[in-house]
Amino acid sequence: MMGNARSQLWKRWLLPALIVCVAGGLRMARLDRMALWGDEACMVYLCQETPENIVAALASADRPDVDVAPPLYFLVLHVWMKWFGTSVAAVRGLSALFSLLTVVCVMGLTRRLFTRNIALAAGILTTISPFQIWYAQECRMYAMATCLAAAAIWALAAAVTPPRPTTAWILFFVMGLTLLYTQ
């Protein structure tokens, strides 16, 4: 009986926590190994402006140095830089955080739809995914968009499977809307 309890503790809490820790290590390792490249530097420069100027620049087709894109990631990065600074590691840290949250969302989603073992396998695959690691170490909106998409699908899965909480539909709507304002 004691061995079964240890096995359940390992599968339920310790192994997922280990997966998240490894994911964090892979995403944070050598985060500042290279200087910011062109698009990243433009993004950091833009996000030092006021929120009003950021939105105006993103909406303008007259600025060749700025992507025409929804403003949410840029505004979040603006606040992030106020808190953590503008070093290479600091500005890329936001993407690393969103990529780490993606691992959690993927495990939660697959646990909701399948089994704990499949959720652990999905977590491991997301942890070692070269694309996830690459986007985690890039100061761009891709890691945030991936995280929001995974969270939206997880909320949808919760909304359509028993016990079907109403809050899951609200979370699905919010995640979908924030995704639209990100990518």
Side-chain angles (χ1 to χ4, degrees):
M1 193 66 158
M2 183 60 87
N4 190 27
R6 280 190 200 155
S7 176
Q8 288 298 328
L9 176 67
W10 176 250
K11 279 186 175 179
R12 181 169 283 186
W13 299 107
L14 298 179
L15 193 51
L18 178 62
I19 291 169
V20 170
C21 287
V22 169
L26 288 173
R27 280 144 181 79
M28 296 302 290
R30 298 176 36 200
L31 197 59
D32 58 354
R33 73 186 182 284
M34 295 186 313
L36 296 175
W37 58 279
D39 283 355
E40 289 178 303
C42 288
M43 185 170 289
V44 170
Y45 178 75
L46 173 65
C47 290
Q48 293 179 35
E49 297 284 332
T50 65
E52 296 81 16
N53 289 346
I54 293 170
V55 172
L58 292 170
S60 171
D62 297 334
R63 297 266 315 253
D65 62 324
V66 176
D67 288 338
V68 177
L72 186 59
Y73 178 79
F74 296 85
L75 296 173
V76 171
L77 182 60
H78 170 80
V79 172
W80 179 269
M81 289 179 357
K82 293 277 189 204
W83 291 343
F84 298 102
T86 58
S87 71
V88 172
V91 296
R92 288 183 177 153
L94 179 61
S95 293
L97 176 63
F98 279 117
S99 183
L100 187 62
L101 291 173
T102 299
V103 173
V104 173
C105 289
V106 166
M107 286 195 297
L109 168 64
T110 51
R111 176 64 184 108
R112 178 97 184 161
L113 296 176
F114 304 107
T115 65
R116 183 171 284 118
N117 289 341
I118 292 173
L120 294 172
I124 291 168
L125 290 174
T126 307
T127 293
I128 62 172
S129 166
F131 286 112
Q132 278 296 308
I133 294 169
W134 181 267
Y135 289 143
Q137 296 184 345
E138 188 174 83
C139 181
R140 299 286 288 157
M141 75 285 296
Y142 307 120
M144 182 177 176
T146 305
C147 179
L148 291 171
I153 296 167
W154 185 10
L156 179 62
V160 298
T161 57
R164 296 187 176 115
T166 305
T167 54
W169 282 110
I170 295 168
L171 188 58
F172 171 66
F173 175 77
V174 169
M175 292 296 108
L177 189 62
T178 55
L179 180 57
L180 287 173
Y181 279 94
T182 300
Q183 186 62 29

